[in-house]
Amino acid sequence: MFDKDRWQEIFSAIKKNKLRSVLTAFGVFWAIFMLIVMTGSGNGLKNGVYEGVKDFATNSGFMWADNTTVSYEGFKRGRSWQINNDDIEAIIDQVPEVEVISPRLNGWNLRSGENIVRGKRSGAFNVMGDYPTYREIDPCTMPYGRYINEEDIKLKRKVCIIGEKVHEVMFDEDEDPVGEYIRVNGVYFMVVGVFRSNNPKINIGSNKKETVYLPFTAMQQTFNYGNQVHYFGLIARKGEKVESVIDKIAPILQKNHKLSPEDDEAIGQFNLENQIKTMNYIFLGIDILIWVVGIGTLIAGAVGISNIMLIIVKERTKEIGIQRAIGARPAVIISQLLSESVFLTTIAGFIGLAFGTFVLFLADAAVDASRVNTPVDEETFFLNPEIGLPLALSALTMLVVVGLVAGLIPALKAVKIKPIDALRHE
């Protein structure tokens, strides 16, 4: 590798056939370039999708009541039913696999006209009833005040927390709303906090920025919801699958409300764990496709390198014959040709790696620039296109291997040439 004469021979061979060498090396360059760009783009797509659920409890699910589709025990199909407080208690008692359960109320009927009022200010916003446990499912930060707590639930306090948009409309900029009162459908509630969601792109039930959250029990009592629960969220205990937990909850609801066990539509459900698993499989398929395409292109480049090495061997047959005649060992001939092959592929691959990384850098800069004026809760499907160090090292290793393989066949052919035949070659 450190033989000056050998490197002079390598550079001399490349200079004699500049165009051929460049075109051949381009195959390796393009393979590495495409592998880097496609992998980085795949990572960018993955990052963009996972950004939307980065803090949301991935082992969570939701269940709600839906109209029946099967007649059962004298009840006709199409019957409506409602989850209630007793169901939540039964689930807590009978399904220990549930780590967290949080019933919710959605005040669809409370949003009519300007339903939120403070002094001369008013607006139309969503109203939700929540338990403190919901924060474990969908984490948030509190720029002002605190979240709903257990005392609020126990004492049915008329307090609320408000989303950032509600704060913007009902209060002056940077005004601390804690301790102030707003009217929710004519009923006064004291603001105890402003929340900012850690997952603004996930809106279950309502747009969180435009929602007023009341203690679940206070909302039930104040707005005559009785013991209704519109839906509930849950987190499965560590080691338990959300799907199996939902399967254990369903029979409880079916028994309590006389639902047919055959009616798969009566109980609505959303399993975030399965959604994440599906996304993982999709991205795994994308990764496999990227590597298949990249390696296939790299093999095509290796074939090109091998072909040019065969031509070089043919052109240097007489030279190889002289080397063999004066005592050059086969290992010397092989190492010389392999060095030439590895050098060509490595240089081409390094350039491809550099160009691919540069393209990803430009793409990342463009995405960052576009996000400056983009609302935080707007969908982002592409974020931080990048490659990791393991991929870069793998690519470099592949270059060396491809160079060795591409030069091995011509090298083996070269050492089979008999000196006397090589000297006769024209």
Side-chain angles (χ1 to χ4, degrees):
M1 291 298 294
F2 300 101
D3 187 343
K4 182 180 178 181
D5 292 336
R6 175 176 295 181
W7 287 106
Q8 286 179 341
E9 290 177 5
I10 291 174
F11 290 131
S12 175
I14 293 174
K15 286 180 181 179
K16 286 180 181 177
N17 301 282
K18 293 179 181 179
L19 179 61
R20 186 173 63 190
S21 298
V22 169
L23 293 177
T24 304
F26 181 78
V28 176
F29 159 82
W30 187 251
I32 294 298
F33 174 79
M34 289 300 297
L35 180 62
I36 296 301
V37 171
M38 289 191 300
T39 302
S41 299
N43 289 336
L45 180 62
K46 188 186 302 182
N47 293 337
V49 171
Y50 286 138
E51 175 72 11
V53 294
K54 61 179 180 179
D55 290 328
F56 208 92
T58 54
N59 59 334
S60 63
F62 293 84
M63 299 182 73
W64 60 90
D66 215 334
N67 290 342
T68 62
T69 58
V70 176
S71 57
Y72 186 70
E73 291 194 4
F75 292 100
K76 295 181 179 180
R77 63 191 302 270
R79 171 172 62 98
S80 61
W81 62 285
Q82 189 70 58
I83 299 172
N84 56 44
N85 294 342
D86 294 335
D87 296 323
I88 301 301
E89 292 298 326
I91 292 169
I92 293 173
D93 292 339
Q94 300 176 37
V95 187
E97 293 83 0
V98 174
E99 176 75 24
V100 172
I101 188 166
S102 185
R104 308 192 81 192
L105 286 172
N106 197 326
W108 298 289
N109 59 329
L110 301 180
R111 183 167 182 171
S112 55
E114 305 289 308
N115 61 336
I116 308 298
V117 179
R118 176 179 178 254
K120 295 182 180 180
R121 302 188 185 193
S122 62
F125 297 104
N126 304 301
V127 181
M128 300 283 292
D130 260 331
Y131 266 79
T133 48
Y134 190 72
R135 194 177 184 182
E136 297 183 46
I137 299 173
D138 187 1
C140 68
T141 54
M142 305 296 295
Y144 297 96
R146 63 171 176 83
Y147 200 73
I148 294 169
N149 61 32
E150 291 295 340
E151 287 297 306
D152 297 331
I153 297 295
K154 182 179 179 180
L155 301 176
K156 302 179 181 178
R157 289 172 174 165
K158 287 187 173 61
V159 297
C160 67
I161 56 175
I162 58 178
E164 292 177 289
K165 184 65 176 180
V166 181
H167 176 234
E168 178 185 323
V169 173
M170 294 290 112
F171 298 87
D172 293 330
E173 186 177 1
D174 297 327
E175 180 182 359
D176 187 347
V178 176
E180 300 294 328
Y181 284 84
I182 62 174
R183 278 189 292 148
V184 180
N185 276 66
V187 180
Y188 282 94
F189 285 81
M190 185 177 73
V191 178
V192 295
V194 176
F195 77 94
R196 178 182 297 127
S197 176
N198 294 358
N199 306 282
K201 298 168 189 172
I202 300 181
N203 292 300
I204 297 176
S206 66
N207 185 326
K208 290 176 282 194
K209 295 175 67 176
E210 301 179 0
T211 300
V212 175
Y213 290 92
L214 313 179
F216 181 87
T217 51
M219 184 170 174
Q220 273 189 330
Q221 177 177 272
T222 303
F223 298 108
N224 300 316
Y225 283 110
N227 69 344
Q228 292 182 32
V229 174
H230 290 151
Y231 62 97
F232 62 86
L234 62 90
I235 297 177
R237 288 191 184 278
K238 188 175 180 179
E240 299 289 341
K241 293 184 177 180
V242 174
E243 187 174 4
S244 64
V245 173
I246 288 176
D247 289 341
K248 292 178 180 179
I249 292 174
I252 296 173
L253 299 178
Q254 291 165 350
K255 179 181 178 181
N256 290 353
H257 298 276
K258 298 188 182 303
L259 306 174
S260 171
E262 307 299 323
D263 192 349
D264 296 328
E265 305 296 325
I267 302 174
Q269 58 177 267
F270 173 76
N271 185 341
L272 184 60
E273 185 178 64
N274 279 351
Q275 298 297 318
I276 297 295
K277 188 183 297 183
T278 300
M279 286 193 292
N280 289 337
Y281 284 137
I282 291 173
F283 287 123
L284 176 61
I286 291 174
D287 289 341
I288 292 173
L289 178 61
I290 287 172
W291 278 96
V292 168
V293 173
I295 292 174
T297 309
L298 197 59
I299 291 173
V303 172
I305 294 286
S306 185
N307 286 335
I308 193 173
M309 294 305 299
L310 286 171
I311 294 173
I312 289 173
V313 168
K314 186 176 181 180
E315 291 177 346
R316 293 166 58 184
T317 299
K318 196 167 187 176
E319 176 188 333
I320 294 171
I322 294 172
Q323 288 178 316
R324 294 294 308 280
I326 62 178
R329 291 175 299 170
V332 173
I333 305 298
I334 292 175
S335 63
Q336 181 179 343
L337 293 172
L338 288 182
S339 297
E340 197 167 324
S341 175
V342 170
F343 174 76
L344 202 57
T345 54
T346 302
I347 292 299
F350 264 116
I351 296 173
L353 180 63
F355 268 79
T357 305
F358 182 66
V359 168
L360 293 180
F361 171 77
L362 294 179
D364 190 27
V367 170
D368 287 343
S370 67
R371 294 185 71 200
V372 171
N373 299 317
T374 301
V376 69
D377 55 345
E378 188 171 304
E379 290 290 342
T380 301
F381 293 105
F382 195 79
L383 184 66
N384 298 331
E386 58 191 2
I387 61 168
L389 180 60
L391 176 63
L393 294 177
S394 298
L396 295 177
T397 303
M398 287 171 58
L399 290 176
V400 175
V401 172
V402 166
L404 290 172
V405 173
L408 187 59
I409 296 175
L412 293 176
K413 183 177 180 180
V415 297
K416 290 180 180 179
I417 300 175
K418 295 179 180 180
I420 188 65
D421 293 334
L423 291 173
R424 292 174 179 168
H425 182 79
E426 294 296 335

